Amino acid sequence: MQTKKIKTVKLLLCLILLPGMAAHSQTRLGIRAELNAAYVHVANEASSGRGSICRPGIGLVADIPLASKIYLQPVLAYSGKGFSQDDSWFAHMGNHLKVSASYIEMPVSLVYKQELGAGKLLVGAGPYIAYGTGGRWKTKYDITSDDIVLSENHGSVIFKKDITDGGFNNYLYGQPWDYGASFLLGYEFLKRFTLQAGFRLGAADLKRMYFGKERDGTLQNRGVGIGAGIYF
C-alpha cells in the first residue's frame, strides 16, 4: 500500500511537469538541497514542550516559465522532519527524546523573479503534500520503569492512524499524509545557481487516534530552512 501511494505522488509530479515542458522550451530541471530546523506545533495537549532538530532535504525541481517574471516550480523531494522533547510520555521523565521522520514531499510554488544586481530576487509560495515513509528515534538513556529496561535508546519511526498499532520499540509519529503551505525567499545568480530560505506551515492534523477514538489537541509539522540549488 505504501509503495502504491509513493508511486501516485511520482505520477502527480509527471502530470504537472509534462504539460509545462511541452509548452515551454525554456523549462529547466535541477537539484535543490536544504537544511531545515524541523519541529512540530502541538495545541491543547499537556505535553507541548517540543524543540527543533536539524534535518536535511534534497529533491528534483523544475522551473517552468508561465508569464513575464512568473514561474511554476514543482519539486519531488526527500524531506526530513521531526522534533526533540524532554520528559515525554514515550521516553519518561529526565530522558531526552529525538524523533527524525522521513517524508516524500511535493511542494508546488508560484515564483516571482525580479532582476536585482547581477541576478534575480525570488519570492514564492504554494501548497505542498507529503507522505511519511519512516525514520528513527533516539533517547539519551535506555527507557526504563522501576529499574526494568523496557527498550534500548533507539528504534524506528512508523506512521499509523491509531496508537495501538505502534508495536514494540516503534515510535508512532502520526498519520502518514501531511499537507500545508510552503514559502520561499531567494536569489538566483550566474543563470543556474540559487540560494534560498523557506518555511513549511503544515495544515494537516497528524495526531494519532486511541482505540479508534479522536484524541484532544492538534499535531502539525513545521520547518524553517536554508538551501542551495543548481539547474542543469
Side-chain angles (χ1 to χ4, degrees):
M1 179 64 69
Q2 179 173 310
T3 301
K4 183 178 180 180
K5 290 179 178 178
I6 293 174
K7 288 181 178 179
T8 300
V9 172
K10 293 181 179 180
L11 178 60
L12 287 174
L13 180 64
C14 291
L15 293 176
I16 292 172
L17 291 179
L18 289 178
M21 290 181 179
H24 301 282
S25 60
Q26 295 180 345
T27 293
R28 299 183 298 172
L29 295 177
I31 296 177
R32 180 183 296 169
E34 296 180 332
L35 194 60
N36 301 304
Y39 62 102
V40 292
H41 173 71
V42 183
N44 300 324
E45 277 191 3
S47 178
S48 59
R50 307 191 186 191
S52 64
I53 62 173
C54 189
R55 299 288 286 133
I58 188 169
L60 297 174
V61 56
D63 189 51
I64 306 171
L66 298 180
S68 177
K69 301 183 180 180
I70 303 297
Y71 294 75
L72 184 68
Q73 289 189 351
V75 182
L76 181 63
Y78 161 83
S79 180
K81 305 186 183 188
F83 65 90
S84 63
Q85 185 178 14
D86 293 314
D87 304 330
S88 66
W89 68 268
F90 182 80
H92 303 158
M93 298 292 291
N95 199 0
H96 182 74
L97 170 67
K98 179 180 177 181
V99 179
S100 301
S102 300
Y103 281 80
I104 298 297
E105 185 175 73
M106 187 174 68
V108 181
S109 299
L110 200 62
V111 178
Y112 174 78
K113 298 185 180 184
Q114 174 62 52
E115 292 187 5
L116 180 65
K120 295 179 180 180
L121 177 69
L122 312 177
V123 180
Y128 79 83
I129 187 170
Y131 187 82
T133 59
R136 300 290 295 174
W137 65 265
K138 185 176 182 180
T139 55
K140 187 174 181 180
Y141 311 108
D142 290 345
I143 299 176
T144 62
S145 177
D146 296 328
D147 297 326
I148 299 175
V149 177
L150 301 178
S151 172
E152 295 182 336
N153 69 335
H154 60 275
S156 298
V157 169
I158 62 174
F159 292 85
K160 299 287 184 180
K161 290 186 177 181
D162 199 298
I163 199 168
T164 57
D165 296 328
F168 181 72
N169 213 39
N170 292 328
Y171 182 88
L172 179 52
Y173 191 86
Q175 302 192 45
W177 283 105
D178 183 26
Y179 57 84
S182 62
F183 307 89
L184 68 88
L185 177 66
Y187 190 72
E188 181 179 317
F189 58 100
L190 298 179
K191 297 184 178 181
R192 59 184 306 204
F193 298 99
T194 61
L195 295 174
Q196 66 185 56
F199 177 62
R200 295 281 199 280
L201 181 65
D205 185 1
L206 308 176
K207 73 172 182 289
R208 301 144 296 197
M209 303 178 74
Y210 188 72
F211 286 100
K213 296 182 179 181
E214 288 284 348
R215 305 177 71 198
D216 293 334
T218 58
L219 176 69
Q220 296 167 317
N221 279 320
R222 297 284 192 272
V224 179
I226 57 175
I230 181 173
Y231 290 108
F232 305 129

